[in-house]
């Protein structure tokens, strides 16, 4: 059992209100929900939509086919009508969109009138629409009412009552006027308690639970959600959030904060990361732990600012002058985003390197249903030398040579020992040097010793599907969900599996799991990426020599929907 | 209590006779005068001759990138508001590459002290014009002479309503030490622009040139009078005032950010995973 | 000669009621008033709501990066000093991301007109504080309210000795048009900071808020008096002056750079390979 | 016949004066000269040296072994004595360095005293030293005197006379007091007229002859030399040079100038390039031609600011968000620097892409002897639409779709047509779009169509040595000279060749010359790079699958000297 609801309209019409109410109600009703957003770069007007797919089993992507289309304007009808399922329906308010449809699949819900009648507020037409959709789906009213009470509690009883009345009006209207509305999804009884969380919030939660105490950023889509999340947290937890004057400042602040002794982070998109490249190199040279969230969007330059792409992989891997190790994590879901953010903080501090969390707009905004997130699975170990432990040392050298290449990281000011570091090449004390011998030892320490140690901590890609597949769908980052569902669909007819990398760099070794063997054994290996340049395929070839037999690329700013993916793969495997 | 000798660092790599030596002397003496120990302060610097200073004294040091002293210093102070934080930069460092950070650091009013070694030239890169270079100065990169209006950091700071604005001169060592100590004692962001000759590349602004122009501001000047401060700040020609030009006490950022205002420094606040975990609730 | 209709461009994607519409109207009217044809001017913009303007009119357009309007505009003018060059930016664009370029463009005094649509907020990214946002303004990124001192671009420009400094207001369309025309006619760099309400995200600085405060500067103000200009520039609270605040005519950079001063624009100067080749001699 | 002269001392002691006089005199005397510099990042003090190697045949690198050491201070003696050839000599002024050496190889030239006696100026001790070295080498005095007259002409007759007298004093002193000074290099008679030119000047000359009209930069070693060169030219040619407030401004200025209708350029080092990454992406999206000079130096961060490295290859290749074509040239000598700068300008404009000239400190400062540079070999075609040709068009669209992907590039203001471009994804007119179809066509145009066309213009690597070698020494950029001489040395005993890439990206195809076949055929393929990460080797594997059998890396900030190279290669090939 599964259905998809799509809500379309102009920016500012309240798509977000309807979809967040509906999404949450569906989760609370016991469904697995997946939501995804398609927004233009404007505040009012244009054409946006949100899709809510739900089912009685875990789901991980969006479909093209729509069962219920909620059209807040005429354009939505025009653009999305073609995606309607054979028995799909369109909810619209003929008064608002200014046109009557004389066809059975069009359900005319007078949302504006009902909103005025019940709550006296035009604005509540969105709540009416949410109610109407709930009615079509024959959902219980109680979870919807409870959610509205919680959501509007802060705005007073009148707002709560008004919204509940509006929702009921929409619900009842559909029940009374739409005999065709016969969607009757089965729900689990009693509903399991589950979360609905998006990629950005998951990163924020991961950071919070990793002990991140300082976040500096300059707003940029799709990373602004992380900034907003952290700013919201800063009121309740001991976390300083600073909006910087630019991204250069943001990363230097994060590095300064880390030097001073706390875990710190910054976040941006590819274009803002361009301005952080200099700071990345500084973190590399001074061996200062720092976590950088990078939300990819279609580029070059400003590109398609509110859309999605995976075009920054090689850039993030190779950015910055000079050679130093970095960690790059590319989570495929909010769940992975949460745990990998934790791991990024842990590795950054343990090895004193910068760590990048490479996300994209699709993952940033996509809502996934989870049974829960296990905070305890995020390691939190303070790797810094502080107070007594530090004071007790006879001598302290910030960049002391050690077996592992990792030098003790001390909190400045916490003891009589000086903490000295430098962007110039330096000696163990942190002072400028120019001699060749020290330089060689420092490169060995920073790069050659640490890199293999970090590599050993990286998890190999995840195999999903056949254990010895003939066909491998390979991917990384946010394509996780759609690849997984594609495998589910194709498994009956094919020996197929997904190989998905979410821990990208240092590229995981093959000793624990020989993923190269899996690839080499397969008849067809298809690398699927949201970019034009097959960047991951080039990376894998450069590091392992392996070359995929086929490549699928999408670079129009949109994510792969399940049907698209099946079609593209179908072209190759027949 | 520390003495000047406790602040002796590595052997400077500056040209013999460079104005930076006097600034370094004043620095060490001021720190000793304030009763600080080397480990009790952090110096953040950029890249340039000026920015090598922390290596030539004793202190916690973050010698970062050209132009990027202020963001680093700001964050250090927000994380540990018990620690005096000094940002040392050159004129190119701070007003050229780092101009944007300079503007916004003044807005932030974090309690960071900014000492700019202003030799009106790029020293370390061998003598190109800096933002404060005088009109007409000929260099290899400016063979037709400097055509841009020099930036007046002091006037700019007054316009930005910086909390503490002063100018010092390396040739007046004791007064410079006094100004450094004053800036350190001030509660808020403090700009101390320090004029000093680059004897190797700046043939215009020599010791003699400064000597003929620099004077100490008279006691009658009221640094809290913004218009008077602006007037004084504009004076940069035949006469160049040194001393505290503007002062405008107001709460620092550390005193306004809720999580740290009046509380322990962030770095010493405990981290409670349990509290953080409660935030997961809202996603259900 | 062109009329306002010749400057009609694409359909704006701004929110209905946004102050940008009035600025656009004034812009088109001013260009027509000046007798310009669309192809006779270049508009350079950054990224933000403001920076979409060139698409909504007709002109040669370089819609570049967030914060980077001025370097692009500067170079265009140095390459072709026969062409009027206008830089359009938002307050975040110009005073935040692009703050350093703003400082140094004023020093350069290239004949570029800088129109800043100052809505005291980041519009396109959905309402974070901008450098000009008032203290205390609450946003999703500033839940405790803005803690930084707002940047006063006009006072800053006077301190930087910018050649022409004015403030306009989108609610006073005709006066705004007049100021735009004045800036265009001025020989040198001109800053026109244009206040305008963002009706979607800025709940503080509404039409009403501005309407109650904004006034036109009286004729008695002498824009060549720098101290008076500074005094006036500091006024930003119960009363907000609009009009020309400061004017300081001096040679533009194009008039000083030897290769182009008083000569054909660089883009129209012939390239002589033979002349260039003579430079090889010095290596023998 | 060959000799090496090394001049060492503190910064500010005048090493540069002596070496530039001596180098030029040797060239004018008919020798082939190679000079290289080793400088600290300080203005006075420390330890610097310059090496001048000369021979009666073309040479292309430095040697470790020194025949004449000119020691301006004690440290020079200490540091370099070990490199002295068996019959090598040390010139020093025992008064200056404060120590007398009682050994036959030490020639005590009282330079300071002679300077005072002849010219009354202590400063001229350097001219005395130059004279002394000339004496030891039994050079004619005439070329030296002529050079001094030319050099000091601007400073008046007194300066000319003083310098000539000082040089003569040094010359005579050696003739009279050093019977052991028996270097008698054979010169060609009459001497051929040759150039002595360094990498940075060659880039500047290439730019000038390519019609570069605008250069914006922020000073940064080792690129400052190009800025200085261009600034010097701006007085005589129609060229505007602007020192920007930062590198972000510099590249945006260069892009603005190019948009306005002239060829433009910027230059920096790896750290400054970090700040240009954003602008690089802008050039990519707006299809604005721009040439970027990047001088590599050891990093990360400030690193070793005055030293050399090849650590920025993958960074420069992958820098910037999004996908767009770029050209990367890595010249191996001043000659290549000259022609490849020309080619960079040509390709940048022809295909409307950014082009990078990737140099390093070693090449920037190294002086090579050339028979000449052929200006006519630098193509100069104005690819822009201007004036009448533009006016005659009925319609103009800046980003019009074409067969080749290249749209007409018009000068704004030159006609009634508007030139509109945008950092957002745009339509053919240059206006913002968000639809998928246009996006796809634009990516195809910008990236997929142009890239193969550019690739077809790239020259394959140069083979030097055996045509079917068993051993291949592979390298790129500034290692050209030392690899070439290593092959010369090893050819007698081995079947060996150098394969040197100077046109790096798009990686040249193998159709015109199948370099992969050469590599695959060889028994040993050794990739030699001045970095720790074998970046070129990784690039080649990523693009072709080929893996070198051996790698040699140097990353201490120093270039490979011939002996080092032979030793490293010897370890592998025996
Ligand atoms: C991003 C970047 N650009 C350029 C440089 C090169 N650089 C080093 S110091 C310096 C300027 C030095 O001038 P200033 O800041 O005035 O310091 P001074 O040496 O005069 O004390 C420059 C341009 C750099 N290190 N980093
Ligand atoms: C380097 C970079 N950082 C951040 C952004 C995201 N961004 C786009 S517009 C904008 C701010 C818009 O505010 P403003 O300049 O005031 O213009 P407005 O929309 O208010 O007119 C930001 C931060 C970007 N495009 N580039
Ligand atoms: S170059 Fe100038 S500033 Fe630098 S050390 Fe020498 S005299 Fe001082
Ligand atoms: S968000 Fe604000 S500035 Fe942007 S168009 Fe809407 S009202 Fe105007
Ligand atoms: Mg300086
Ligand atoms: Mg704004």
């Amino acid at each position: 059992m599964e259905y998809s609801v799509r809500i379309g309209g102009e920016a500012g019409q309240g798509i977000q209100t309807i979809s967040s109410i509906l999404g949450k109600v569906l989760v609370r009703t016991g469904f697995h929900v997946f939501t995804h957003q398609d927004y233009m770069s404007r505040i009012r007007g244009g054409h946006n939509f949100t899709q809510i797919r739900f089912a009685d089993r875990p789901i991980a992507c969006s479909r093209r086919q729509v069962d219920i289309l909620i059209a807040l304007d005429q354009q939505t009808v025009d653009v999305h009508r073609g995606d309607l399922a054979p028995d799909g329906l369109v909810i619209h308010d003929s008064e608002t969109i200014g046109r009557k449809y004389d066809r059975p699949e069009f359900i005319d819900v007078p949302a504006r009138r009902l909103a005025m009648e019940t709550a006296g507020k035009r604005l509540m037409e969105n709540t009416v629409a949410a109610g109407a959709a709930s009615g079509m789906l024959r959902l219980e009213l109680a979870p919807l009412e409870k959610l509205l009470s919680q959501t509007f509690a802060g705005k007073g009883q009148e707002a709560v009552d008004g919204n509940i009345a509006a929702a009921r009006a929409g619900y009842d209207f559909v029940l009374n006027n739409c005999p065709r509305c016969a969607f009757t999804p089965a729900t689990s009884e009693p509903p399991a308690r589950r979360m609905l969380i998006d990629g950005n919030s998951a990163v924020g939660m991961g950071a919070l639970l990793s002990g991140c105490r300082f976040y500096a950023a300059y707003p940029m889509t799709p990373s602004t959600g992380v900034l907003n999340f952290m700013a919201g947290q800063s009121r309740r937890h001991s976390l300083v959030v600073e909006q910087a004057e630019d991204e250069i400042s943001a990363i230097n602040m994060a590095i300064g904060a880390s030097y001073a002794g706390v875990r710190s982070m910054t976040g941006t998109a590819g274009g803002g990361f361009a301005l952080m490249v200099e700071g990345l190199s500084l973190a590399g040279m001074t061996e200062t732990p720092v976590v950088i969230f990078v939300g990819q969007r279609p580029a070059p330059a400003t590109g398609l600012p509110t859309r999605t792409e995976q075009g920054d992989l090689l850039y993030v891997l190779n950015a910055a002058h000079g050679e130093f190790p970095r960690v790059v994590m590319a989570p495929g879901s909010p769940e992975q985003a949460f745990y990998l953010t934790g791991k990024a903080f842990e590795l950054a501090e343990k090895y004193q390197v910068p760590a990048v969390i490479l996300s994209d707009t699709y993952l940033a905004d996509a809502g996934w249903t989870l049974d829960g997130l296990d905070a305890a699975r995020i390691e939190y170990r303070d790797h810094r030398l502080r107070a007594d432990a530090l004071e007790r040392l006879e001598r302290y050298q910030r960049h002391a040579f050690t077996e592992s290449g990792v030098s003790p990281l001390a909190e400045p000011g916490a003891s009589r020992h000086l903490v000295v570091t430098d962007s110039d090449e330096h000696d163990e004390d942190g002072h400028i040097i120019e001699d060749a011998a020290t330089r060689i030892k420092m490169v060995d320490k920073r790069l050659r010793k640490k890199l293999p140690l970090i590599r050993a901590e990286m998890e190999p890609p995840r195999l999903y599907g056949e254990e010895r597949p003939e066909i491998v769908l390979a991917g990384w980052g946010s394509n996780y969900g759609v690849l997984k569902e594609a495998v589910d669909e194709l498994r009956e007819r094919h020996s197929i599996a997904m190989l998905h990398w979410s821990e990208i760099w240092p590229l995981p070794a093959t000793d624990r799991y020989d993923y190269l063997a899996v690839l080499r054994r397969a008849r067809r290996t298809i690398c699927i990426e949201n970019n034009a340049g097959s960047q991951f395929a080039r990376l894998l070839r450069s590091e392992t020599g392996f070359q995929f037999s086929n490549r699928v690329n999408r670079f129009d700013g949109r994510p792969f929907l399940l049907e698209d993916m099946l079609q593209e793969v179908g072209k190759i495997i027949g | 209590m520390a003495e000047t000798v406790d602040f002796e660092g590595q052997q400077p790599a500056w040209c013999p006779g460079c104005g930076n030596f006097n600034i370094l002397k004043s620095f060490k003496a001021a720190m000793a005068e304030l009763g600080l120990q080397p480990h009790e302060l952090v110096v953040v610097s950029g890249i340039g001759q000026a920015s090598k200073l922390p290596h030539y004294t004793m202190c916690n040091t973050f010698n970062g990138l050209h132009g990027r002293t202020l963001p680093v210093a700001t964050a250090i102070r927000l994380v540990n508001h018990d620690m005096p934080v000094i940002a040392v930069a050159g004129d190119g460092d701070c007003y050229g590459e780092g101009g944007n950070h300079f503007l916004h650091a003044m807005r932030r009013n974090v309690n960071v002290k900014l000492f700019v070694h202003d030799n009106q030239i790029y020293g370390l890169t061998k003598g190109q014009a800096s933002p404060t270079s005088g009109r007409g100065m000929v260099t290899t990169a400016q063979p037709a002479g400097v055509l841009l209006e020099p930036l007046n950091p002091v006037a700019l700071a007054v316009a930005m309503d910086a909390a503490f604005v002063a100018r010092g001169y390396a040739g007046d060592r004791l007064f410079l030490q006094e100004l450094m100590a004053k800036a350190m004692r001030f509660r808020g962001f403090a700009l101390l622009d320090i004029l000093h000759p680059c004897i190797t590349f700046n043939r215009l602004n020599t010791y003699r040139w400064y000597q003929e122009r620099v004077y100490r501001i008279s006691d009658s000047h009221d640094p809290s009078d913004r218009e008077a401060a602006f007037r004084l700040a504009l004076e940069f020609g035949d006469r160049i005032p040194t001393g505290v030009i503007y002062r405008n006490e107001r709460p620092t950022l550390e005193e306004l950010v809720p999580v740290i205002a009046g509380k322990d420094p962030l770095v010493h606040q405990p981290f409670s995973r349990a509290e953080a975990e409660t935030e997961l609730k809202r996603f259900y």
Side-chain angles (χ1 to χ4, degrees), chain A residues 327-368:
Chain A
V327 170
V328 178
M329 300 295 190
S333 66
E335 186 173 8
Q336 291 182 7
F338 176 76
Y339 296 117
L340 291 182
T341 299
K343 189 162 177 178
F345 271 98
E346 168 66 13
L347 294 181
E349 193 172 273
K350 186 169 173 188
Y351 296 103
Q352 303 174 23
V353 295
V356 174
I357 300 160
L358 190 61
S359 178
D360 56 32
T361 307
Y362 178 54
L363 175 61
D365 297 336
W368 289 54

Side-chain angles (χ1 to χ4, degrees), chain A residues 217-228:
Chain A
Y218 188 80
M220 188 163 192
T221 312
S223 67
T224 313
V226 179
L227 169 62
N228 289 343

Side-chain angles (χ1 to χ4, degrees), chain A residues 3-25:
Chain A
Y3 292 105
S4 284
V5 182
R6 191 176 294 168
I7 307 146
E10 295 185 2
Q13 276 195 299
I15 295 172
Q16 195 62 62
T17 318
I18 306 179
S19 71
S20 66
I21 291 173
L22 220 51
K24 214 143 191 174
V25 166

Side-chain angles (χ1 to χ4, degrees), chain A residues 24 195-196 213 233 236-238 242-243 245-246 253 259 278 375 378 411 415 419 421-423 431, chain B residues 39 55 60-61 63-64 68 75-76 100-101 108 259 266 268-269 271 273 275 279 282-284:
Chain A
K24 214 143 191 174
M195 304 174 81
L196 181 64
R213 315 296 284 271
Q233 299 307 326
R236 286 182 298 278
H237 304 283
S238 88
E242 184 65 14
Q243 183 178 310
E245 58 274 21
D246 56 28
M253 281 187 184
Y259 167 80
E278 190 195 24
I378 288 189
E411 179 193 321
S415 78
V419 183
T421 192
D422 192 349
S423 74
H431 290 301
Chain B
H39 70 272
H55 298 283
N60 291 297
T61 301
N63 182 176
R68 314 302 171 202
I76 293 174
N100 204 29
H101 313 308
R108 271 189 193 96
V259 257
L266 191 69
H268 296 141
Q269 292 182 18
F271 165 54
R273 162 108 67 154
E275 258 174 51
E279 299 294 339
R282 54 147 105 194
F283 298 99
Y284 282 91

Side-chain angles (χ1 to χ4, degrees), chain B residues 10-25:
Chain B
Q10 307 216 315
Q11 182 69 27
W14 293 319
C15 310
C18 171
N20 277 314
F21 285 99
N22 267 357
I23 304 180
L24 178 62
K25 266 192 207 147

Side-chain angles (χ1 to χ4, degrees), chain A residues 305-317:
Chain A
T306 57
R307 304 197 176 271
T308 200
E309 190 162 277
Q310 298 184 301
D312 297 342
L313 178 64
L314 289 176
Y315 159 46
V316 160
L317 281 174

Side-chain angles (χ1 to χ4, degrees), chain A residues 41 281 299 301-303 309 312 322-323 423 425 434 439 532-533 544 558:
Chain A
S41 178
S281 192
T302 311
E309 190 162 277
D312 297 342
E323 300 169 292
S423 74
E425 191 56 276
E434 295 216 24
R439 163 75 179 174
T544 70
R558 277 73 178 170

Side-chain angles (χ1 to χ4, degrees), chain A residues 125-449:
Chain A
E125 59 188 338
N126 294 320
T127 312
V128 175
S134 305
M136 290 172 96
L137 294 165
R138 300 294 188 266
L139 301 178
E140 300 279 322
L141 250 178
L144 175 57
E145 289 181 358
K146 185 167 169 208
L147 183 70
L148 291 171
S149 315
Q150 289 172 342
T151 309
F152 295 100
K155 300 210 166 158
Q157 194 55 41
E158 204 182 326
V160 171
D161 293 344
N163 274 285
I164 289 180
R168 261 203 210 129
Y171 192 90
D172 292 342
F173 180 88
V174 167
L175 251 51
N176 299 330
N177 297 281
C178 180
R180 292 190 78 235
C181 296
F183 301 100
T184 45
T187 67
S188 74
E189 208 53 81
R193 199 164 161 267
R194 296 207 187 87
M195 304 174 81
L196 181 64
I197 190 169
D198 59 88
N200 271 353
S201 299
V203 167
M205 278 307 313
L208 200 65
L209 284 161
S210 300
C212 175
R213 315 296 284 271
F214 188 92
Y215 189 88
Y218 188 80
M220 188 163 192
T221 312
S223 67
T224 313
V226 179
L227 169 62
N228 289 343
F229 180 89
M230 297 304 269
Q233 299 307 326
S234 72
R235 311 223 59 187
R236 286 182 298 278
H237 304 283
S238 88
L239 167 68
V240 168
V241 175
E242 184 65 14
Q243 183 178 310
E245 58 274 21
D246 56 28
E247 290 84 350
I248 303 174
S249 181
I251 191 168
N252 278 280
M253 281 187 184
I255 290 170
S258 180
Y259 167 80
V262 301
R263 291 189 167 190
S264 72
M265 183 173 178
T266 181
T268 185
F273 183 70
L275 297 161
M276 295 190 178
V277 169
E278 190 195 24
L280 186 74
S281 192
L282 176 65
M285 184 54 126
T286 58
E287 302 183 271
T288 308
V290 66
V291 174
I292 307 165
F293 173 80
V294 179
Q296 298 167 99
R297 63 189 222 189
T302 311
L304 294 168
T306 57
R307 304 197 176 271
T308 200
E309 190 162 277
Q310 298 184 301
D312 297 342
L313 178 64
L314 289 176
Y315 159 46
V316 160
L317 281 174
N318 294 291
H321 42 310
E323 300 169 292
F324 56 92
R326 73 196 68 191
V327 170
V328 178
M329 300 295 190
S333 66
E335 186 173 8
Q336 291 182 7
F338 176 76
Y339 296 117
L340 291 182
T341 299
K343 189 162 177 178
F345 271 98
E346 168 66 13
L347 294 181
E349 193 172 273
K350 186 169 173 188
Y351 296 103
Q352 303 174 23
V353 295
V356 174
I357 300 160
L358 190 61
S359 178
D360 56 32
T361 307
Y362 178 54
L363 175 61
D365 297 336
W368 289 54
T369 305
L370 306 179
D371 287 341
L373 287 169
D374 182 3
R377 267 184 57 201
I378 288 189
E379 283 188 88
Y380 177 74
R381 262 183 261 131
D382 182 4
H383 295 277
R384 290 168 206 259
L385 266 181
R386 303 187 192 270
D388 293 352
L390 179 57
E391 189 69 51
R392 272 196 304 272
L393 291 182
E394 194 159 320
R395 189 172 177 205
Y396 173 75
Q397 292 183 298
R398 171 65 192 94
H399 297 284
F401 295 127
T402 62
E403 192 69 36
S404 65
V406 179
S407 317
L409 179 58
E411 179 193 321
S415 78
R416 78 206 136 84
H417 297 298
L418 300 182
V419 183
V420 177
T421 192
D422 192 349
S423 74
D424 291 274
E425 191 56 276
H426 41 254
D427 58 19
E428 292 176 275
D429 283 319
H431 290 301
I432 306 179
I433 58 94
E434 295 216 24
D435 70 289
T438 310
R439 163 75 179 174
I440 293 169
K441 285 179 84 173
M442 278 293 166
V443 174
D444 277 337
K445 159 191 167 35
R446 272 194 306 264
L447 181 65
R448 300 192 154 194
K449 288 187 164 183

